[in-house]
Amino acid sequence: MQARTSGTDLVDALIDGVHIGDNLVLQGDDAAPLDLLVERFVAATRGRVPLVLVNVSRPWQGPVPPDTRVLDWSAVGSDSPPTLDDALPPGADFGAAMAMLEAADDRVGEGAAFVIDDLDGVQRTWGPGAALELFLSTCPRLYRRRSLAVWPLHTGAHRPAFLRRLTEITQVVVDFTTDAESSLVTVRKADGRGEQVVGRRVRAVVVDGDLAAVDSPRNTGELLGTVIRDQRLARGLSQAEVARRVGITPSALSQVERGVRGPGGDTLVRLWEVLGVPFGPGERPEAGYRIARRSGRDRTRLQDGLTGECLLDDPVAGEVWALDLAGGASGSHGPFAVKRPESVLVLRGVVDLQLDGRTETLHEGDALVAETASVRGWSNPGAETARLLWSIHRP
């Protein structure tokens, strides 16, 4: 069963739940409770799905838990002899690390859980280019595999451009800013959720090995400050640079972002201009495109041996489904009871379709458009699962 939790109820609630395929970037300052968050994720996941731990910063201590695969890369940076079987030797290059991770992903298969601990260590060992390449390669791969991954990192160890690129690619970013007494937890990105999720924030403390909310700061000044900070970070701009363009001091901008004081009207207008945020009356212009995010989608059992995932349900384009036909399976009617034109593209395998008294055999790469004919049945003559892209067009 897919583990759909970060291991921390407070985080789950802030992001409106964990979705299949999520890559969760948990970023914070040096005092942020990132180790605690990783421990809770591992405890909640272990035994439910295959678990892969990429160990980077410190030599692995103790036995490997059951149902867990540890990839130990720590010897590369420390020059200490590795103690685990799945370990890189001192001096190993980054290509060897990537090959080990990809092989582990192939072994555990779809729907696993990963902890990449951590990008800070990867950067110290192989450089910032390697840390970015690891994320650019692995995040989309695990997303396609419907696996769940947690990526802890310390924001102070990375350049703003690096953090911006991670935010662009991943599905979820949760930020932890700590002081002497508590952490301010803020959602920076949450694909597949409602617009109201981004910008949510709550102050939390560690109680009995878990995060507990101590308040819910939602006043206007704090919410506005969060929006301004998020827009600045999304563009890779420093506080000093934005303050210079707006005509205020960096200290004043810091107070605005923290909700300590609100900006004056002229300052707010200048902020929106510098950050490129539309401001003023009237409706926001249409972007000219729409995105259907994969986050939150589930596979649906349509018939025996036939499962599907709705990729798109759009008033203009219609419905687009990814269908999996089990080897040797067949059905006595079409996947969908509709009276609209349908088109089929075979992505993998072979499929037989019955259309009004005729059987058409489609191979990988073949496509069919049924404008007036109806699909009366289907079968997969092969032993392996066939995959189709099935579109139901609007009239």
Side-chain angles (χ1 to χ4, degrees):
M1 178 181 179
Q2 174 73 55
R4 294 204 207 177
T5 178
S6 67
T8 305
D9 290 342
L10 183 145
V11 173
D12 288 355
L14 274 180
I15 63 175
D16 275 2
V18 174
H19 294 175
I20 291 174
D22 273 348
N23 284 262
L24 280 73
V25 173
L26 306 177
Q27 62 182 30
D29 49 37
D30 290 341
L34 301 183
D35 288 343
L36 170 65
L37 296 168
V38 169
E39 290 171 4
R40 293 194 62 83
F41 175 74
V42 170
T45 305
R46 183 181 296 145
R48 299 178 63 187
V49 297
L51 177 62
V52 178
L53 305 179
V54 179
N55 184 63
V56 185
S57 296
R58 299 176 294 273
W60 181 262
Q61 302 292 327
V64 176
D67 302 319
T68 304
R69 184 179 297 274
V70 177
L71 310 184
D72 191 1
W73 298 353
S74 62
V76 181
S78 67
D79 292 328
S80 300
T83 59
L84 301 179
D85 293 335
D86 284 335
L88 293 176
D93 61 21
F94 179 65
M98 286 297 299
M100 176 181 285
L101 180 56
E102 291 173 3
D105 179 38
D106 289 337
R107 285 195 294 268
V108 298
E110 188 176 274
F114 288 75
V115 176
I116 316 296
D117 176 40
D118 57 1
L119 287 174
D120 306 352
V122 173
Q123 178 169 279
R124 288 192 299 271
T125 302
W126 291 290
L132 183 58
E133 182 181 345
L134 173 65
F135 195 85
L136 291 175
S137 300
T138 307
C139 177
R141 178 186 176 101
L142 298 182
Y143 180 74
R144 291 192 301 269
R145 304 274 273 183
R146 307 171 71 85
S147 293
L148 179 61
V150 166
W151 303 77
L153 63 91
H154 293 96
T155 51
H158 302 279
R159 297 190 301 264
F162 175 90
L163 299 174
R164 183 178 68 249
R165 192 71 179 114
L166 261 61
T167 300
E168 291 170 349
I169 295 167
T170 193
Q171 290 78 49
V172 179
V173 179
V174 182
D175 181 80
F176 296 80
T177 304
T178 56
D179 56 29
E181 299 179 352
S182 60
S183 294
L184 183 60
V185 188
T186 306
V187 181
R188 301 294 180 199
K189 184 179 182 182
D191 277 353
R193 286 80 167 172
E195 294 182 358
Q196 76 282 358
V197 176
V198 175
R200 279 183 181 169
R201 59 196 326 203
V202 66
R203 192 162 290 280
V205 294
V206 177
V207 178
D208 296 330
D210 196 4
L211 281 183
V214 293
D215 60 23
S216 182
R218 311 286 278 191
N219 67 61
T220 303
E222 289 177 326
L223 291 174
L224 178 59
T226 297
V227 172
I228 292 170
R229 182 174 185 268
D230 287 345
Q231 292 294 330
R232 176 177 63 79
L233 292 175
R235 288 155 178 78
L237 298 173
S238 68
Q239 282 187 337
E241 176 63 17
V242 172
R244 183 188 66 80
R245 296 186 191 180
V246 172
I248 59 177
T249 66
S251 175
L253 178 57
S254 175
Q255 292 182 43
V256 168
E257 291 188 353
R258 289 184 286 118
V260 174
R261 73 175 191 182
D266 291 342
T267 299
L268 183 59
V269 171
R270 285 290 297 139
L271 277 168
W272 293 151
E273 290 175 349
V274 169
L275 297 173
V277 177
F279 179 75
E283 296 183 359
R284 185 172 180 174
E286 290 292 331
Y289 61 86
R290 293 179 290 278
I291 298 176
R293 300 287 185 185
R294 181 183 179 185
S295 299
R297 294 183 194 144
D298 282 322
R299 284 207 177 112
T300 302
R301 179 181 174 277
L302 301 171
Q303 299 177 30
D304 288 342
L306 174 62
T307 59
E309 178 182 346
C310 185
L311 308 179
L312 179 68
D313 188 356
D314 185 83
V316 176
E319 296 179 41
V320 180
W321 287 74
L323 302 184
D324 286 333
L325 285 59
S330 62
S332 59
H333 54 85
F336 307 101
V338 295
K339 295 182 179 180
R340 287 183 277 158
E342 299 174 274
S343 59
V344 183
L345 171 64
V346 181
L347 302 176
R348 185 177 64 235
V350 179
V351 62
D352 292 331
L353 295 181
Q354 289 81 48
L355 299 100
D356 293 344
R358 297 189 59 175
T359 298
E360 297 288 350
T361 299
L362 304 180
H363 297 266
E364 189 168 311
D366 289 346
L368 176 145
V369 177
E371 186 173 2
T372 57
S374 299
V375 178
R376 305 291 186 180
W378 57 269
S379 64
N380 177 6
E384 302 296 328
T385 298
R387 168 154 280 210
L388 312 179
L389 195 65
W390 197 294
S391 300
I392 305 171
H393 303 281
R394 296 300 180 195

